Amino acid sequence: MSKRSPHTRKLVLEQAITVVLVVIAWQILSHFDAYEQFHEFSRNHEHWQLDEIAMLILVSAFVMGGGLYVRWNQLLSALTERDEAQRQAERHAWYDPLTGLANRRYFQIQLDSIASAGDAQNRVVAIIDLDRFKPVNDLHGHAVGDAVLKDVAKRVQGELDEDSTLARLGGDEFAIIFSRDVKPDDAERIARRIITAIETPFDVQGLSIMIGTSIGLARTAPDALASEGLQHADKALYSAKRSGRGRLAWYDDELGQRSRERAELEADLRLALRREEVFPYFQPIFGLGTGELTGFEVLARWKHVKRGDISPEIFIEIAEDIGLISELGWSILRQACRRAVGWPAGLKLAVNISPKQFLDGALVQKTADILEDVGFNPAFLEFEITESAVIPDMEFAECAIRDLQAMGVTIALDDFGTGFSSLSNLRRLPFDRLKIDRSFITNISDDPSNQRIVEGILSLARGLKIGVTAEGIESESDLEFVSSMACEYGQGFFFNGAISGDEVDWLLDALEDGEAPPALPRSRQKSA
Ligand code: C2E
Ligand code: MG
Ligand code: MG
């Protein structure tokens, strides 16, 4: 229980006295039915002059009542002030006043409570230390430094789920306890995203401030002290800083090895992009009713000099994490269009556009520039986007789609059926095509619930007058099934995997000569 201040004690005492006086006045008056009766009584007892006394008591009761009201209000505001002061004191005790984040003390208590609740199995703790922050304070003053710290807090918070705890430990040092759902691999991805987010310049008071960050990561152990996790993360941070700026490091050796490999891949990918060593492959798409080749999906490939083929699932994710995905996307678009310029008119190129690239304000202009530069007809280009590209800003998405369509480019919604699959997105955004995710198509004949889902998607698309392509046709029975449902287009290993530009040329020659398309060996398809 909190102690009351002398001022509050005095107010409470005064209040109590006032209440007692009013109660006494009320008790006296309540002996008389009404004022008239009281007046009569006083006339019979003139020497008492009771009516004057009664008047006096009444007036005092009113005055006291008014006083009571005023006092009551004072009491309430005093209590509110006291509570506010208490809250303020608590805020100072637990939170950092500049950023509003938890402070070191609160962070430590959170760590301890995780350990004491037996919840410290494999939780990840991170320490973030800004690079080149001191010169910001020295050169531009503390107001600018403070504004940067506030923005850093917001950017880091933006990368975390709401159950993770972010704290400012002091100065330019922040720390995270990742939520239980964030596994070590996820934590590492998030840490990389944070490094990329902090490398983006900060606009403060008309200045463009460039800083960076290093991150140390550690896993907490169930039987270790909670504070150990923080110490380990600190040691990891030290080794991250030693290996260069803008790096992350794990405390753990095995993870450390993996993170070194990943750092190497990142550096190699940067180089590979510059040298156009990430290049397009083309997966044929066929009209299922006609059997005709209608175009290709462009799929990025990376042949690493030492490690061989690296799956797009891996390098697309790396490119997203380190902020190179747009550069990769534009490079693939340019190379694919350059390769396809001489192919027969009417064959469409479907190019995957990542959410980051799609949300770039210059998307339409950059597309137009590349197409003009290469001399590729926009009417033969389709962009494949996923719902995660449109969710962050529906208005922007709608405008971008309409602008691209005005240029002649069509838009497909990729991987439909996974993720949100929101009907309101379909209603609002004018997609030209849905691509049903391969997880619904491969082995569809054995899976009645997938059959019903695909039927539903097809009738929905028909109602909305949107074309449909089925991905992942791997067998004759997959093909029979989707064809029997009147799905218009399809792609998959049953026809071809992704093939090189040269292989497309052979395929086109064979088709022109009226030969059956040259099938590629299955092993070759899967690796492509
Ligand atoms: P996606 O856009 O859904 O591409 C289709 C993926 O399914 C490709 O995987 C393709 O090789 C694979 N596939 C095609 N037919 C079959 C089949 O019959 N069975 C099976 N199991 N798989 C089939 P890939 O090439 O590994 O690409 C994976 C994902 O990487 C793509 O999924 C796309 O999201 C992304 N990606 C690939 N290239 C690019 C690119 O240039 N830019 C961007 N932003 N993302 C790309
Ligand atoms: Mg795709
Ligand atoms: Mg897809």
Side-chain angles (χ1 to χ4, degrees):
M1 219 16 205
S2 57
K3 274 191 166 177
R4 289 192 169 147
S5 69
H7 178 60
T8 319
R9 270 205 304 273
K10 191 171 152 243
L11 276 174
V12 172
L13 190 67
E14 281 178 10
Q15 201 75 2
I17 293 170
T18 319
V19 169
V20 169
L21 285 174
V22 170
V23 169
I24 292 170
W26 180 253
Q27 283 298 313
I28 293 172
L29 282 172
S30 63
H31 279 92
F32 306 98
D33 283 352
Y35 178 74
E36 270 309 314
Q37 201 186 346
F38 180 75
H39 193 67
E40 189 57 39
F41 174 84
S42 65
R43 240 189 282 123
N44 298 340
H45 302 79
E46 250 170 41
H47 59 285
W48 278 16
Q49 293 175 331
L50 270 181
D51 52 349
E52 277 92 354
I53 296 170
M55 269 320 278
L56 202 65
I57 292 170
L58 262 179
V59 168
S60 329
F62 274 120
V63 170
M64 282 187 281
L68 180 69
Y69 177 74
V70 171
R71 283 299 182 192
W72 180 246
N73 275 340
Q74 284 174 336
L75 179 66
L76 275 186
S77 67
L79 288 175
T80 318
E81 263 171 39
R82 191 204 62 196
D83 288 351
E84 183 49 35
Q86 222 166 7
R87 266 199 297 273
Q88 199 82 23
E90 267 168 26
R91 257 202 297 274
H92 277 107
W94 303 117
Y95 294 96
D96 167 44
L98 178 68
T99 57
L101 296 178
N103 62 16
R104 182 184 282 274
R105 204 166 144 213
Y106 185 84
F107 189 80
Q108 196 66 49
I109 289 173
Q110 281 285 99
L111 264 182
D112 288 338
S113 74
I114 287 171
S116 60
D119 197 15
Q121 175 79 41
N122 252 340
R123 295 283 288 266
V124 180
V125 179
I127 298 193
I128 300 172
D129 190 86
L130 301 183
D131 300 325
R132 302 184 298 276
F133 180 70
K134 196 174 171 299
V136 175
N137 266 338
D138 294 348
L139 275 173
H140 305 293
H142 284 271
V144 172
D146 285 355
V148 170
L149 287 173
K150 276 199 222 169
D151 273 5
V152 166
K154 272 195 217 134
R155 287 188 192 180
V156 177
Q157 192 85 68
E159 300 294 338
L160 302 178
D161 65 354
E162 51 182 36
D163 294 330
S164 296
T165 304
L166 172 64
R168 181 175 169 225
L169 301 184
D172 60 354
E173 202 173 54
F174 296 79
I176 302 167
I177 307 170
F178 287 99
S179 69
R180 204 180 303 111
D181 299 335
V182 177
K183 304 286 169 260
D185 278 351
D186 304 325
E188 187 172 320
R189 285 198 68 195
I190 296 170
R192 289 185 196 285
R193 285 175 186 266
I194 291 173
I195 291 175
T196 307
I198 305 294
E199 275 169 0
T200 310
F202 291 81
D203 295 325
V204 178
Q205 298 178 10
L207 300 162
S208 177
I209 309 279
M210 304 266 287
I211 55 169
T213 189
S214 307
I215 300 182
L217 294 157
R219 288 191 289 188
T220 55
D223 45 358
L225 283 175
S227 55
E228 245 179 51
L230 203 56
Q231 282 165 12
H232 290 169
D234 210 23
K235 285 192 179 140
L237 174 68
Y238 180 67
S239 91
K241 289 238 169 211
R242 248 188 343 194
S243 63
R245 289 193 166 137
R247 299 283 172 89
L248 66 77
W250 281 95
Y251 175 69
D252 194 273
D253 258 2
E254 177 214 335
L255 283 167
Q257 172 62 23
R258 275 174 44 201
S259 107
R260 270 192 295 281
E261 277 179 18
R262 163 90 192 212
E264 264 176 43
L265 270 186
E266 279 179 25
D268 293 348
L269 182 61
R270 278 178 211 280
L271 263 181
L273 277 180
R274 240 172 280 149
R275 298 178 181 158
E276 288 198 348
E277 284 169 5
V278 178
F279 48 83
Y281 258 41
F282 303 86
Q283 182 174 36
I285 301 175
F286 293 92
L288 297 183
T290 59
E292 253 176 54
L293 175 72
T294 59
F296 300 90
E297 174 168 4
V298 176
L299 293 162
R301 294 292 178 260
W302 181 19
K303 218 177 259 305
H304 190 281
V305 256
K306 277 190 268 165
R307 296 168 201 250
D309 286 337
I310 297 186
S311 158
E313 310 271 355
I314 295 174
F315 70 79
I316 294 287
E317 189 184 287
I318 297 181
E320 277 170 352
D321 290 350
I322 62 175
L324 284 181
I325 188 65
S326 296
E327 195 180 320
L328 184 150
W330 296 124
S331 162
I332 291 292
L333 176 68
R334 180 180 291 277
Q335 294 181 65
C337 291
R338 214 163 47 202
R339 196 70 175 77
V341 153
W343 295 349
L347 288 180
K348 266 213 152 167
L349 276 194
V351 177
N352 291 287
I353 299 291
S354 79
K356 179 92 187 298
Q357 193 183 358
F358 181 76
L359 290 166
D360 179 348
L363 168 82
V364 180
Q365 193 54 50
K366 276 187 185 156
T367 307
D369 290 348
I370 290 178
L371 296 184
E372 197 187 321
D373 216 27
V374 178
F376 192 84
N377 184 347
F380 302 142
L381 181 64
E382 182 155 276
F383 277 171
E384 292 190 6
I385 57 175
T386 52
E387 275 179 305
S388 42
V390 300
I391 298 287
D393 190 342
M394 290 291 279
E395 219 164 293
F396 174 86
E398 195 177 345
C399 289
I401 291 176
R402 289 194 193 283
D403 288 351
L404 287 165
Q405 285 171 334
M407 206 199 293
V409 179
T410 51
I411 311 292
L413 184 57
D414 202 0
D415 302 341
F416 192 73
T418 62
F420 305 97
S421 305
S422 143
L423 298 184
S424 69
N425 287 347
L426 280 189
R427 195 182 47 192
R428 175 159 178 195
L429 301 172
F431 292 110
D432 299 286
R433 171 178 312 283
L434 290 185
K435 295 196 73 171
I436 306 179
D437 191 72
R438 62 177 189 252
S439 56
F440 298 101
I441 304 293
T442 307
N443 296 328
I444 187 171
S445 55
D446 302 335
D447 195 328
S449 62
N450 278 353
Q451 292 162 18
R452 280 192 288 276
I453 291 172
V454 171
E455 259 167 26
I457 296 176
L458 284 165
S459 71
L460 181 74
R462 247 171 252 131
L464 292 168
K465 299 195 171 39
I466 304 177
V468 178
T469 303
E471 293 178 340
I473 300 175
E474 288 195 3
S475 63
E476 192 142 18
S477 66
D478 292 344
L479 175 62
E480 270 168 21
F481 235 96
V482 285
S483 303
S484 70
M485 290 170 166
C487 177
E488 288 171 283
Y489 301 98
Q491 66 187 88
F493 294 158
F494 181 67
F495 303 109
N496 283 111
I499 54 178
S500 68
D502 286 345
E503 286 167 319
V504 172
D505 289 337
W506 302 333
L507 177 74
L508 294 175
D509 285 348
L511 288 174
E512 207 183 333
D513 297 343
E515 292 169 23
L520 295 165
R522 200 139 293 264
S523 58
R524 171 72 183 73
Q525 292 175 7
K526 301 249 172 183
S527 67

